[in-house]
Amino acid sequence: MKNMNEFKEVSTSYSVAEAVREAQRCLNCKVPGCKKGCPISQDIPEWIGQLSQGNFGNAMSIINAKSNLPAVCGRVCAHERQCEGHCVLAKAGKHINIGKLERFIADFDSKAGLTHEGISEKSRGSVAVIGSGPAGLTIAGDMARKGFRVEIFEMEPEPGGVLQFGIPEYRLPRKVVDREIKKIENLGVVFHLSTTVGRDLTVDDLFDRGFDAIFMGTGTGRPRRLPIEGADHPGVRQAIWFLRRVSLYQSGCIDRKEVVISEGDHIAVIGCGNTAIDAARTALRMGAASVKVIYHRTINEMSALRSEYEDAVAEGVEFIWKSSVTRIIGGPDDKLRSIFVSTDGSEPVEMPLDRLIMAVGSVPASRIVSTTAGIEVDDHGYVLTREEPYGMTTRRGVFAGGDVTNRPATVVHAMRDAKQVAESMIRYIDAKRLMEQLSRDEADMSRTNP
Ligand code: SF4
């Protein structure tokens, strides 16, 4: 790696004075566009109002009521399309910097320890959560606060899912993710790490352990592949594989050479979503000599955030629009020799290249559904769920949410979906336990009055 500092967080935080000044610009609108633009309807004017008066603890409590991951959302949410894009001041190009304020207050709270949530009594029922990404953590936080015993089963050695392994350090530092997870752990949530449901134990085993309901928040762990000639060569890697490797290297779990990209390599990335841009910027930080992003559509059709794209360009990533890779030629070792690229349907042109990274989306792995009877999926492997009870799969008592259901698109959308599923699971478990109590009462009555 050229320099470890290159993985330092790119955007900077507010000082106390800057945060209060920014909060004081807020107009406290009667009909706040910011709240409408927020997928989880945060009470933004309320907490900004508290912040503007220096009441940081109150601001944090208002945020905590709607979000389990404010330090994460303050950093990685698509604010320009959500709250900030809907702020009344956005038309004049002067929207309130809501994301940066949320990040400030969450970081300030962690450092100063302003808010302490007590552990509520866990007597209302129990739930097993599979996966500890944004959806799983949201279910865990919401249900633990409401008196449920929650245990999370995570296949990786560290919790956080995509937050831990899919978003690079320079956008979301690991210590921030760890801090947010610690807060959820402090609510009494138990984490079982390096435990793969579908291999080490099954959904039926979890029911046998007495859980009232199970939540699948397992995301999309199987990357899509493009059927390009030569794509099986080891010089072609998946973006989520590469990002995970870099994350493992940074936490000291693997050697530098296992990251695969070497100093001076020439790299191309296929795709133009946020994962593609993350992979491109990370490759540069790992010492790549050049990184090109190849996308078959135009700049206006990319799903990546404009701000992410602009940062990538500023760092030296080159973008090749309306272009496709038609053939991949392997080299003598595990590197490539070249690829052929066709632009706008033209005759393909050969481009020398060492490594190619694919970032064209991913679909759910089938580990759980293949070991559990009764959970149906669609043609792409996404888990089918009901509208009522919201989020329940075709197997009674098993719920699903987040990316594994093909509903959300971003961290905050996965959180919104999980919040709705949590409400539904709470209603389901309350009703289930009531019915169980009634049948116990009836059995008692028939024993005493035979
Ligand atoms: Fe403040 Fe903008 Fe929200 Fe109005 S829309 S309350 S100005 S953040």
Side-chain angles (χ1 to χ4, degrees):
M1 191 186 301
K2 278 196 292 194
N3 179 355
M4 209 66 170
N5 278 339
E6 297 196 9
F7 274 88
K8 264 180 134 174
E9 195 168 13
V10 185
S11 81
T12 51
S13 190
Y14 278 139
S15 67
V16 172
E18 285 167 340
V20 170
R21 260 202 309 276
E22 179 66 6
Q24 286 172 343
R25 286 206 303 122
C26 173
L27 306 176
N28 192 14
C29 305
K30 273 211 172 64
V31 185
C34 54
K35 183 172 177 177
K36 225 169 122 194
C38 172
I40 54 169
S41 298
Q42 277 220 45
D43 297 313
I44 295 167
E46 280 80 356
W47 65 257
I48 290 185
Q50 292 296 326
L51 182 50
S52 71
Q53 294 164 41
N55 299 328
F56 298 164
N58 291 354
M60 190 69 241
S61 299
I62 296 169
I63 294 173
N64 278 343
K66 291 273 173 78
S67 172
N68 289 295
L69 305 167
V72 171
C73 286
R75 287 171 166 85
V76 303
C77 266
H79 302 109
E80 65 194 51
R81 291 182 190 159
Q82 297 166 359
C83 53
E84 292 176 3
H86 287 75
C87 171
V88 70
L89 298 172
K91 287 187 200 88
K94 292 185 175 159
H95 64 75
I96 302 293
N97 286 307
I98 301 165
K100 223 168 151 180
L101 288 178
E102 185 181 21
R103 167 184 163 171
F104 165 81
I105 199 71
D107 289 354
F108 191 90
D109 178 53
S110 295
K111 282 177 205 141
L114 295 179
T115 51
H116 297 282
E117 288 188 84
I119 298 184
S120 58
E121 201 198 327
K122 305 283 184 264
S123 56
R124 210 168 152 186
S126 62
V127 55
V129 173
I130 310 171
S132 62
L137 292 174
T138 299
I139 291 277
D142 281 12
M143 295 192 73
R145 280 195 182 91
K146 296 206 167 132
F148 290 85
R149 179 168 67 83
V150 182
E151 294 185 31
I152 295 187
F153 296 83
E154 168 58 55
M155 63 185 275
E156 297 286 356
E158 309 246 10
V162 69
L163 306 176
Q164 193 72 252
F165 294 109
I167 303 178
E169 181 83 13
Y170 63 85
R171 279 216 291 140
L172 181 61
R174 293 291 93 81
K175 64 177 189 312
V176 172
V177 179
D178 292 345
R179 232 162 45 203
E180 298 281 59
I181 288 170
K182 189 80 203 147
K183 273 177 15 193
I184 291 171
E185 211 173 2
N186 287 344
L187 297 170
V189 173
V190 175
F191 286 79
H192 303 274
L193 302 176
S194 303
T195 307
T196 305
V197 177
R199 192 191 65 197
D200 303 326
L201 74 174
T202 64
V203 163
D204 293 293
D205 293 334
L206 292 174
F207 278 126
D208 289 345
R209 288 186 186 187
F211 288 105
D212 291 298
I214 293 167
F215 174 77
M216 285 174 65
T218 39
T220 50
R222 193 153 53 92
R224 280 205 177 99
R225 299 166 58 88
L226 290 180
I228 304 169
E229 187 187 329
D232 289 335
H233 192 277
V236 180
R237 297 287 176 168
Q238 289 289 344
I240 52 177
W241 181 91
F242 166 61
L243 292 171
R244 183 171 180 277
R245 284 274 152 149
V246 174
S247 176
L248 288 170
Y249 165 61
Q250 286 178 310
S251 46
C253 299
I254 62 170
D255 285 344
R256 169 69 180 86
K257 62 179 184 314
E258 293 180 75
V259 177
V260 167
I261 286 181
S262 329
E263 295 234 354
D265 276 355
H266 295 276
I267 310 289
V269 179
I270 303 181
C272 206
N274 285 322
T275 303
I277 305 248
D278 283 345
R281 296 175 71 190
T282 300
L284 275 184
R285 284 165 172 76
M286 293 303 294
S290 72
V291 180
K292 295 180 173 62
V293 168
I294 301 171
Y295 184 49
H296 67 291
R297 294 199 175 114
T298 64
I299 184 169
N300 295 324
E301 293 163 286
M302 68 178 176
S303 61
L305 282 175
R306 186 58 82 129
S307 56
E308 292 294 319
Y309 158 76
E310 283 164 3
D311 285 349
V313 171
E315 287 171 5
V317 177
E318 194 186 320
F319 286 76
I320 306 177
W321 307 109
K322 295 177 79 176
S323 299
S324 310
V325 175
T326 57
R327 197 148 61 97
I328 299 162
I329 313 290
D333 47 20
D334 69 343
K335 286 192 178 185
L336 300 177
R337 193 183 78 202
S338 60
I339 55 172
F340 281 82
V341 180
S342 162
T343 299
D344 218 359
S346 65
E347 189 60 30
V349 173
E350 188 167 7
M351 177 194 290
L353 197 77
D354 295 305
R355 310 263 178 201
L356 180 66
I357 299 175
M358 281 205 198
V360 291
S362 49
V363 292
S366 60
R367 211 174 293 111
I368 295 177
V369 293
S370 63
T371 55
T372 310
I375 300 179
E376 288 176 22
V377 295
D378 70 10
D379 293 346
H380 302 286
Y382 290 103
V383 173
L384 299 175
T385 57
R386 307 177 197 187
E387 278 306 307
E388 191 53 48
Y390 184 80
M392 194 192 274
T393 66
T394 44
R395 168 86 185 258
R396 193 175 170 72
V398 180
F399 292 73
D403 287 338
V404 73
T405 60
N406 200 18
R407 286 191 295 265
T410 64
V411 168
V412 73
H413 286 99
M415 284 168 58
R416 176 178 67 181
D417 188 56
K419 284 183 120 27
Q420 252 180 292
V421 179
E423 289 300 323
S424 173
M425 287 176 81
I426 289 171
R427 284 194 299 275
Y428 169 79
I429 296 176
D430 283 349
K432 172 180 176 279
R433 288 171 74 92
L434 181 65
M435 295 305 289
E436 286 167 357
Q437 185 58 47
L438 287 174
S439 17
R440 274 196 299 273
D441 290 350
E442 254 177 48
D444 285 349
M445 291 241 301
S446 49
R447 262 199 302 278
T448 45
N449 304 309

